[in-house]
Amino acid sequence: MSESPTTRLLPWVSPDGKTCILLSDGRGESGFSRVADRMEDAQLEMADGLLDHAADMLGDDAATAHQIRYLGEQLSAALRDVRRVADSRGARLSR
């Protein structure tokens, strides 16, 4: 018996900012699904590293306004990635 097709929110967007979705056989074992898993893991690891860097930088009185602004931009991008991962994983858990 075959699994019913499922959709998965991918951890990236198209060049024009549109959501990317993977339609799979329902088992989640495709090569493309594994690439998405690795990308999600990398995004979460990068967010962790950025949080550590942010803690250090915010404790440094010598940090410039330009550095703090850049940090905020990177934290915003990381938070957007982490939220996409959470949405994707949450949707898969609710099946």
Side-chain angles (χ1 to χ4, degrees):
M1 182 165 94
S2 70
E3 301 275 339
S4 61
T6 60
T7 58
R8 175 185 178 164
L9 177 65
L10 293 173
W12 55 80
V13 294
S14 70
D16 57 346
K18 293 183 179 175
T19 298
C20 293
I21 303 287
L22 173 65
L23 178 62
S24 69
D25 61 7
R27 291 179 292 166
E29 298 173 3
S30 72
F32 206 70
S33 185
R34 286 189 296 275
V35 168
D37 289 340
R38 286 193 301 271
M39 179 65 145
E40 286 180 350
D41 290 341
Q43 288 172 322
L44 295 174
E45 286 179 27
M46 289 188 325
D48 280 341
L50 188 57
L51 284 173
D52 291 341
H53 180 65
D56 293 341
M57 183 176 283
L58 293 172
D60 181 2
D61 292 336
T64 66
H66 178 74
Q67 289 171 319
I68 299 297
R69 181 181 182 97
Y70 182 74
L71 174 64
E73 291 168 354
Q74 298 308 304
L75 286 168
S76 178
L79 183 57
R80 199 171 6 265
D81 288 344
V82 169
R83 181 174 179 203
R84 179 175 289 279
V85 170
D87 288 345
S88 177
R89 290 182 180 185
R92 286 180 277 150
L93 285 174
S94 66
R95 287 187 212 143

